[in-house]
Amino acid sequence: MNGKSKGVVSTKWTLMLCILSFCAGLFFTNRFWSLPEAQDTITPTRIEDDKAKLAGGCHSNSLQINKNRDLKEMLGNASKMNYAIHTLDKTILSLEIELATARAKRESILDEVPLSDDLKAAATGGKHKYLMVVGINTAFNSRKRRDSIRATWMPQGDKRKKLEEKGIIIRFVIGHSATSGGILNKAIEAEERKHEDFLRLDHNEGYLELSGKTKSYFATAVNMWDAEFYVKVDDDIHVNIATLGTTLARHRSKLGVYIGCMKSGPVIVQKGVRYHEPEYWKFGTFGNKYFRHATGQLYAISRDLATYISINQHVLHKYANEDVSLGAWFIGLNVEHIDDRKLCCGTPPDCEWKAQAGNICVASFDWSCSGICRSVERMKEVHNRCGEGENVLWNSGF
């Protein structure tokens, strides 16, 4: 009986131990195998993430390369477009010049006025290319001023022709007197036969007509000479021609160039005062200043602007002061205003000190006189002290 009971107990305990062993096995199995399972799950995820990051980086680099390539293509296309626009501007400019020449030819035929040799050459396409045309604004009673310039900074005779071969035209610019065939006109004609250095305009002379004269000068000059720049200078100013040519040559690749000593002076309201502006009310309230424009002693414009004046001369408004008028004609246009103070140096000692320092002035005059004070007596002195030297002119390449 006892032996049988022991066998039964042993069997029960054996079964119990088996169950406990099984449970313990499950417990330890779950405990120790859960981490590898987690690692097995995480590891592929990390690998996939790394692959994604790598793929993303490659994709990002590819996008950056494509962006750079697209940017280069855009810049290349923009450069080509700018070149095309610049070429088109030049083509339009050439057509405008031809149109202006044709108009001048037609008007000459209608008015039964014979064309000059220069204008005939322009009409037939035989123009010589020049760097600049320098027009010296002068009056009937300024013979001594003209002679002072001829004796200093304006070459004469064969030297003037040699200068034209270098691409520079210089002429005294004058119109006609109100009396046709009068003594004033005959005096200019006699002076022209002697020196052959005048540009005669279809314009009636008069101080209050300077704006019209300026417009007529540019319109006439651009039809007679194919130059890159057209310069207006007063006959009581000292000019260094080579320095002027070098200064303008730096801007020869540009369009819409308007160069001079830029200023913005007060609008003169009082009648009877020099530089009085009858249309002062157009410039705003009392005390206002003019818009920025080049002072009238010397300024230069590029060929496209001279052509614009020629084509539109009949509709361009004239103010009392010619420098203001010129500045007004360019408002609303894509014009580059270049303020160069070398174009308005003072007379000695100012221009002399600058010349000694190697900064030769383009033009010299006295602001107090709007020109060289007593220019007839002092032009030679200014030339000797501030001139660039004749050899500089002939050795310069423009």
Side-chain angles (χ1 to χ4, degrees):
M1 185 80 170
N2 290 337
K4 191 177 180 179
S5 298
K6 287 181 181 178
V8 172
V9 171
S10 297
T11 302
K12 289 180 179 180
W13 277 107
T14 300
L15 181 61
M16 184 64 68
L17 288 174
C18 288
I19 292 172
L20 290 174
S21 298
F22 178 75
C23 291
L26 287 178
F27 173 77
F28 285 106
T29 300
N30 292 333
R31 175 68 178 172
F32 289 108
W33 284 96
S34 61
L35 290 176
E37 287 178 1
Q39 290 176 355
D40 291 341
T41 303
I42 291 172
T43 301
T45 303
R46 288 177 180 172
I47 295 174
E48 289 175 3
D49 288 344
D50 292 340
K51 289 181 179 180
K53 288 180 181 179
L54 183 60
C58 294
H59 182 64
S60 177
N61 291 337
S62 177
L63 287 176
Q64 186 63 37
I65 293 172
N66 290 335
K67 286 180 180 179
N68 292 338
R69 186 182 297 113
D70 292 342
L71 181 60
K72 289 180 180 179
E73 290 178 359
M74 289 174 63
L75 292 175
N77 291 335
S79 178
K80 292 178 181 178
M81 186 176 296
N82 287 334
Y83 177 77
I85 292 172
H86 187 68
T87 303
L88 182 59
D89 285 340
K90 287 187 174 181
T91 303
I92 293 173
L93 177 59
S94 299
L95 292 174
E96 287 176 342
I97 292 174
E98 291 177 10
L99 177 60
T101 302
R103 284 179 176 174
K105 182 178 179 182
R106 184 193 64 182
E107 291 175 2
S108 178
I109 293 172
L110 293 175
D111 295 338
E112 297 182 353
V113 177
L115 286 171
S116 66
D117 292 337
D118 289 311
L119 199 51
K120 286 178 181 177
T124 57
K127 279 187 175 182
H128 179 78
K129 299 288 185 179
Y130 298 95
L131 170 64
M132 63 181 180
V133 174
V134 180
I136 307 171
N137 181 41
T138 191
F140 289 111
N141 61 351
S142 297
R143 172 64 186 266
K144 290 184 178 180
R145 285 187 176 184
R146 292 191 290 273
D147 286 341
S148 70
I149 289 176
R150 292 183 179 115
T152 52
W153 58 267
M154 180 181 181
Q156 295 296 294
D158 292 338
K159 288 184 177 180
R160 183 167 59 82
K161 294 179 180 178
K162 181 181 177 182
L163 187 63
E164 293 180 3
E165 293 175 358
K166 289 178 70 69
I168 299 174
I169 300 287
I170 306 179
R171 294 289 189 276
F172 288 106
V173 179
I174 196 167
H176 300 273
S177 67
T179 305
S180 179
I183 187 172
L184 295 176
N185 284 323
K186 289 182 179 179
I188 292 295
E189 290 168 2
E191 193 176 344
E192 163 66 7
R193 285 192 294 270
K194 179 179 179 180
H195 296 284
E196 298 181 342
D197 56 3
F198 279 93
L199 170 61
R200 301 300 301 275
L201 304 177
D202 184 15
H203 169 80
N204 289 329
E205 284 290 321
Y207 180 77
L208 297 178
E209 297 297 327
L210 285 179
S211 292
K213 183 176 182 179
T214 301
K215 183 162 51 174
S216 179
Y217 159 61
F218 285 121
T220 303
V222 78
N223 285 295
M224 293 185 68
W225 297 290
D226 183 9
E228 295 182 73
F229 296 95
Y230 297 84
V231 183
K232 178 263 176 183
V233 58
D234 288 341
D235 62 2
D236 55 354
I237 307 298
H238 180 268
V239 179
N240 283 314
I241 293 297
T243 307
L244 174 60
T246 302
T247 299
L248 295 181
R250 289 198 291 267
H251 305 286
R252 70 195 322 166
S253 62
K254 303 176 182 177
L255 293 173
V257 172
Y258 174 33
I259 181 170
C261 289
M262 298 295 165
K263 65 175 185 176
S264 180
V267 180
I268 306 301
V269 176
Q270 297 83 0
K271 291 184 178 180
V273 179
R274 192 180 186 188
Y275 306 128
H276 166 62
E277 179 57 71
E279 297 180 274
Y280 62 87
W281 59 273
K282 290 185 177 180
F283 298 94
T285 58
F286 179 81
N288 274 5
K289 292 185 176 182
Y290 287 113
F291 41 78
R292 193 65 95 178
H293 62 278
T295 187
Q297 286 82 0
L298 185 149
Y299 49 73
I301 61 175
S302 53
R303 181 174 60 235
D304 54 330
L305 296 183
T307 302
Y308 170 81
I309 293 173
S310 176
I311 294 173
N312 299 284
Q313 57 182 308
H314 301 298
V315 296
L316 294 176
H317 184 70
K318 296 178 293 184
Y319 290 100
N321 301 297
E322 50 95 10
D323 53 353
V324 173
S325 294
L326 184 70
W329 298 338
F330 299 150
I331 290 179
L333 302 182
N334 188 19
V335 173
E336 181 180 1
H337 292 62
I338 300 174
D339 182 21
D340 192 333
R341 310 315 288 185
K342 289 192 300 183
L343 275 65
C344 55
C345 295
T347 54
D350 179 51
C351 58
E352 186 176 23
W353 290 340
K354 291 176 180 176
Q356 291 173 354
N359 299 317
I360 298 176
C361 295
V362 172
S364 302
F365 58 89
D366 299 305
W367 283 103
S368 60
C369 297
S370 296
I372 297 176
C373 298
R374 305 189 327 275
S375 65
V376 174
E377 294 83 10
R378 296 183 59 221
M379 185 65 75
K380 190 170 184 178
E381 174 207 348
V382 175
H383 183 68
N384 290 337
R385 297 174 66 178
C386 300
E388 61 197 354
E390 187 175 358
N391 291 333
V392 174
L393 177 60
W394 303 121
N395 294 331
S396 296
F398 307 107

